[in-house]
Amino acid sequence: MSDHQLTAQEASTRIAEAADLSALEALRVEYLGKQGSISGLLKTLGKMSPEERQEKAPAIQALRQSVADALTARKDEMEAAELEARLATETIDLTLPAPQAPKGSVHPVSQVMDELAEIFADLGFAVATGPEIEDDWYNFTALNMPESHPARAMHDTFYFPDAAPKGGKMLLRTHTSPVQVRTMMAEGAPLRIIAPGRVYRSDSDATHTPMFHQIEGLVIDRDIHLGHLKWTLETFLKAFFETEDIVLRLRPSYFPFTEPSVEVDVGFAIENGQDGKLRRILGGSGDEPGHGWMELLGSGMVNRRVIEFAGLDPDEWQGFAFGLGVDRLAMLKYGMDDLRAFFDGDSRWLSHYGFSPFDQPTLSAGVGAKA
Ligand code: DAH
């Protein structure tokens, strides 16, 4: 047996017996490292005559190759064993009972937005969206609120320091109404959309948060009148609150982007809740004894100026619009009394008021069933 065969045999035994990866690494250095014994043999090839090299090189190369192969094989074996061991400790026992409460829930705001989309889809409305970082032209000017308009000051707007492309200011949109203009410009008329989303105002107390949610509605067509608006709102509110007993009161109001403008109130009764607290129950005329009116939303016939700003001819196209607070709607329907809790991310609140992802609102199964 040649020296090389002896070395190969010894190496393969030692490699097979290596206890762990660091022992294996020590062997690799010993044989194949810069100062390693096999590396030393390879270096001697350079000093040989061509004839001698031709004779001895194959055995030395073969030795190097066999040791390298043995090292790789043993390393793979060790890594596979390690993985096996880890997998064995990480098994899941599928015979264990499922956790009692599934984790995670759908936030009431998301649920209500889905309910609204479902109801309005049935009335032929598509869902439109617009950016939350908005240009003051869309948020104000095109909605008939020029630079000096007092309504601008009432919006407690968050402005950015940067200038808008059209020379005005960039801001966080204060309402979803700019989506009216954007959609009219992008899609023309006729149009039937709702636009749900986040809006921002510098305001904070139990009923106001700096970020909240609105939903905008817009219908543009020929010969649209206030009757269409009232029917649409009544139909929507009856479906949303799942009761026929919804009485609306339309009050004259003012918004720069609608003319005429109406504020819509809904009648409610005051009841003594089980917890002793007084609660508002929707239904009936607010004028009955023990009843009242609650302001629900702003609406009106779209101002001619807005239709013009959006590039349509107001003599041909008319429409109505409305805007309402989604968070308030959720509070009313599901009985929360502090808006701030909506955005605290408290898992106890979420598991109490949240919805199961399986509780998809559909018109046939009901848009309000709480799991
Ligand atoms: N944008 C108004 C606000 O945030 C709400 C509103 C009122 C929207 C009347 C409308 C409307 O579309 O017609 O206060």
Side-chain angles (χ1 to χ4, degrees):
M1 221 190 266
S2 78
D3 283 359
H4 294 156
Q5 278 167 323
L6 275 179
T7 312
Q9 209 163 60
E10 183 215 88
S12 102
T13 312
R14 291 180 68 197
I15 289 169
E17 285 171 358
D20 51 30
L21 285 169
S22 68
L24 201 62
E25 174 62 9
L27 287 174
R28 188 192 65 79
V29 172
E30 184 181 329
Y31 291 117
L32 303 178
K34 263 196 185 138
Q35 314 290 331
S37 53
I38 297 178
S39 308
L41 284 174
L42 283 164
K43 280 178 205 155
T44 62
L45 290 176
K47 297 184 193 104
M48 293 177 188
S49 67
E51 297 75 30
E52 198 185 0
R53 190 182 304 137
Q54 209 162 35
E55 184 197 330
K56 300 208 167 148
I60 297 177
Q61 302 280 19
L63 172 65
R64 192 196 65 85
Q65 193 58 50
S66 79
V67 170
D69 288 350
L71 284 166
T72 309
R74 181 75 182 120
K75 192 168 176 221
D76 288 350
E77 199 177 289
M78 281 179 180
E79 283 172 349
E82 195 190 12
L83 181 65
E84 277 304 314
R86 223 181 59 221
L87 287 175
T89 66
E90 289 176 3
T91 52
I92 297 169
D93 185 350
L94 293 174
T95 64
L96 287 174
Q100 282 209 324
K103 294 244 166 70
S105 61
V106 176
H107 196 282
V109 169
S110 304
Q111 185 76 10
V112 165
M113 293 229 204
D114 287 350
E115 292 174 9
L116 295 171
E118 178 70 15
I119 292 169
F120 279 105
D122 198 52
L123 297 174
F125 286 66
V127 174
T129 55
E132 290 171 27
I133 295 174
E134 190 50 289
D135 181 319
D136 73 348
W137 190 83
Y138 290 102
N139 196 83
F140 292 126
T141 312
L143 290 165
N144 197 29
M145 284 181 265
E147 200 88 41
S148 57
H149 200 287
R152 284 201 183 202
M154 287 163 55
H155 275 224
D156 301 311
T157 312
F158 288 113
Y159 285 101
F160 289 94
D162 325 59
K166 288 192 173 128
K169 288 179 180 157
M170 293 304 284
L171 45 80
L172 288 175
R173 70 177 179 192
T174 59
H175 51 178
T176 43
S177 302
V179 185
Q180 288 188 27
V181 180
R182 285 184 175 274
T183 313
M184 277 190 271
M185 292 176 84
E187 292 177 22
L191 207 60
R192 226 184 280 183
I193 54 138
I194 53 167
R198 297 192 179 100
V199 301
Y200 302 83
R201 292 188 201 179
S202 167
D203 204 352
S204 190
D205 59 38
T207 53
H208 298 89
T209 48
M211 185 282 296
F212 56 105
H213 300 84
Q214 283 190 339
I215 189 160
E216 194 80 12
L218 174 69
V219 170
I220 298 283
D221 212 324
R222 297 187 169 92
D223 304 322
I224 295 290
H225 55 75
L226 214 57
H228 294 124
L229 169 63
K230 191 175 183 204
W231 180 87
T232 304
L233 293 177
E234 241 164 36
T235 305
F236 140 57
L237 291 167
K238 283 176 182 172
F240 181 74
F241 289 109
E242 294 182 295
T243 167
E244 282 298 304
D245 188 17
I246 291 281
V247 182
L248 295 185
R249 180 176 75 172
L250 271 54
R251 258 182 312 116
S253 181
Y254 174 75
F255 299 103
F257 33 92
T258 43
E259 182 58 39
S261 301
V262 282
E263 218 138 1
V264 178
D265 302 335
V266 61
F268 67 88
I270 297 176
E271 273 190 11
N272 228 325
Q274 286 171 335
D275 51 5
K277 283 188 194 164
L278 294 178
R279 287 194 307 150
R280 292 170 166 195
I281 306 292
L282 289 191
S285 157
D287 291 330
E288 291 168 45
H291 284 233
W293 293 106
M294 180 167 26
E295 188 186 313
L296 208 55
L297 56 91
S299 63
M301 302 307 294
V302 180
N303 193 307
R304 294 176 58 88
R305 301 263 298 147
V306 176
I307 294 179
E308 260 168 21
F309 270 119
L312 298 176
D313 176 0
D315 289 325
E316 185 179 2
W317 302 105
Q318 300 80 43
F320 67 77
F322 58 90
L324 68 150
V326 173
D327 316 273
R328 276 192 43 164
L329 216 56
M331 290 168 85
L332 251 174
K333 183 165 177 180
Y334 295 115
M336 306 83 161
D337 55 12
D338 191 339
L339 178 64
R340 288 168 298 194
F342 274 57
F343 311 118
D344 280 347
D346 184 328
S347 61
R348 290 162 303 178
W349 189 91
L350 288 167
S351 65
H352 183 76
Y353 287 111
F355 290 78
S356 159
F358 297 114
D359 194 17
Q360 293 275 347
T362 62
L363 280 184
S364 53
V367 289
K370 178 145 169 48

